[in-house]
Amino acid sequence: STYETILVEQKGAVTLITLNRPKALNALNSTVLAELIDAFAKFEADKSQGCAVITGSGDKAFAAGADIKEMVDKPGAEFFSEDFFAGWSSQLVKAVRKPWIAAVNGFALGGGCELAMMADFIIASDTAKFGQPEIKLAVAPGMGGSQRLARAVGKAKAMDMCLTGRNMNAEEAERSGLVSRVVPLDQLLDVALKAAADIAAMPPLAALINKEMVNIAFETTLDTGLLMERRMFQILTATEDKKEGMTAFVEKRAGVWQGR
Ligand code: HXC
């Protein structure tokens, strides 16, 4: 299907989704959200696809935030009655069980930083800049910028970012644990697509459960998390892919996965 604000391509088992409003620095409006929800639902349903990458078009921005021009004249009561932007968490984060990576190629500000943090991990270009500048607009983050950022980088950095609205560069973001890797801008897409292809080549049930268990670490007590982890491990030992994976290791060959 064709979209107005995003580009979607399949590269083997990897879906590449590109935010495509470069003139507005890929600002996130309601159309972008609706199109991303549709594209992610198709990715999730397509058995040939194992991992997705989301990036921004142009060299300047991943996404410079929610679209301020869409919000400037909108009455407050409407943000509330529409449950404005609730769909990001419920339909992109919770509804997508397959892994996806954010390849941040420039500004990731406000909603852009929040979208990147919804991904399972972030690979950043050396030119990336992360920030939660909402306070300068007399608002506050509305789709994870206080909650996911605090979990990712801890209280000191999260408070600093949200209260001053300053940007973090890629080096600080990596040091703080916000991003998993920093690479030169001209290698970003290749590195992200390679990571995604590697993930897509993994036994698919194990990929789903590995993702789910790391997320559970942020939602539960250590005792409950460890119990769930052990049970998930035990459940995976009952799959055909486990027999194949361990046999392939012993026979010194690559495994061939059935997804069951
Ligand atoms: C709409 C945006 C935009 C945004 C940039 N543009 N950010 N449009 N919403 N968030 C548009 C500009 O209006 C301009 O278009 C074009 O993109 C280029 O931007 P410039 O500002 O001219 O570029 P530059 O001077 O290089 O500055 C880059 C920048 C700046 C530092 C990234 O654009 C900036 O500060 N943007 C806003 C960042 C921000 O506050 N984000 C948080 C939004 S609130 P025109 O046509 O005018 O020239 C948010 C809340 C989420 O995200 C929670 C919701 C529930």
Side-chain angles (χ1 to χ4, degrees):
S1 35
T2 49
Y3 298 109
E4 206 183 299
T5 63
I6 61 173
L7 301 169
V8 181
E9 297 157 73
Q10 289 190 351
K11 296 183 176 288
V14 174
T15 301
L16 174 62
I17 300 175
T18 306
L19 301 165
N20 193 30
R21 302 183 68 210
K23 287 194 189 115
L25 302 186
N26 302 320
L28 308 169
N29 62 20
S30 307
T31 309
V32 178
L33 173 59
E35 293 186 345
L36 281 179
I37 288 170
D38 189 72
F40 270 98
K42 291 193 166 101
F43 158 68
E44 182 74 3
D46 187 338
K47 287 197 163 53
S48 76
Q49 298 299 290
C51 189
V53 171
I54 185 165
T55 193
S57 65
D59 278 354
K60 200 167 161 186
F62 174 74
D67 192 321
I68 298 167
K69 291 167 189 170
E70 188 179 70
M71 298 187 290
V72 57
D73 291 322
K74 194 178 173 68
E78 278 182 21
F79 284 90
F80 177 60
S81 63
E82 290 170 10
D83 202 357
F84 188 74
F85 279 2
W88 293 92
S89 266
S90 62
Q91 292 182 268
L92 295 187
V93 183
K94 295 214 171 132
V96 181
R97 295 169 72 205
K98 289 178 183 174
W100 55 289
I101 302 169
V104 172
N105 55 307
F107 288 113
L109 304 182
C113 186
E114 295 172 303
L115 172 59
M117 290 189 290
M118 290 175 203
D120 296 311
F121 61 96
I122 301 172
I123 301 179
S125 68
D126 51 3
T127 58
K129 293 207 168 19
F130 299 86
Q132 298 294 158
E134 286 90 340
I135 193 168
K136 296 180 187 170
L137 303 169
V139 289
M143 37 201 260
S146 59
Q147 303 306 297
R148 289 196 184 91
L149 186 64
R151 282 164 174 76
V153 305
K155 177 175 173 178
K157 291 277 184 191
M159 281 288 189
D160 181 356
M161 304 283 290
C162 290
L163 288 174
T164 68
R166 76 175 175 89
N167 293 345
M168 258 191 199
N169 63 21
E171 194 275 323
E172 184 179 6
E174 186 180 33
R175 183 159 29 94
S176 308
L178 180 59
V179 312
S180 69
R181 316 184 202 177
V182 176
V183 298
L185 178 61
D186 63 0
Q187 293 169 29
L188 176 67
L189 209 52
D190 284 349
V191 171
L193 289 171
K194 168 73 165 67
D198 288 347
I199 292 167
M202 295 295 173
L205 300 180
L208 294 183
I209 285 188
N210 274 277
K211 165 172 171 159
E212 195 162 46
M213 283 315 304
V214 174
N215 282 329
I216 282 171
F218 294 94
E219 301 286 350
T220 191
T221 62
L222 181 59
D223 247 14
T224 303
L226 290 170
L227 174 64
M228 286 190 70
E229 181 191 71
R230 213 158 58 241
R231 292 289 176 259
M232 291 297 185
F233 166 80
Q234 291 160 357
I235 285 167
L236 283 172
T237 63
T239 63
E240 289 178 30
D241 283 348
K242 168 265 175 186
K243 178 75 179 153
E244 164 67 6
M246 294 195 181
T247 304
F249 175 83
V250 172
E251 294 176 355
K252 301 186 191 292
R253 59 170 177 84
V256 181
W257 314 121
Q258 309 291 330
R260 59 176 188 261

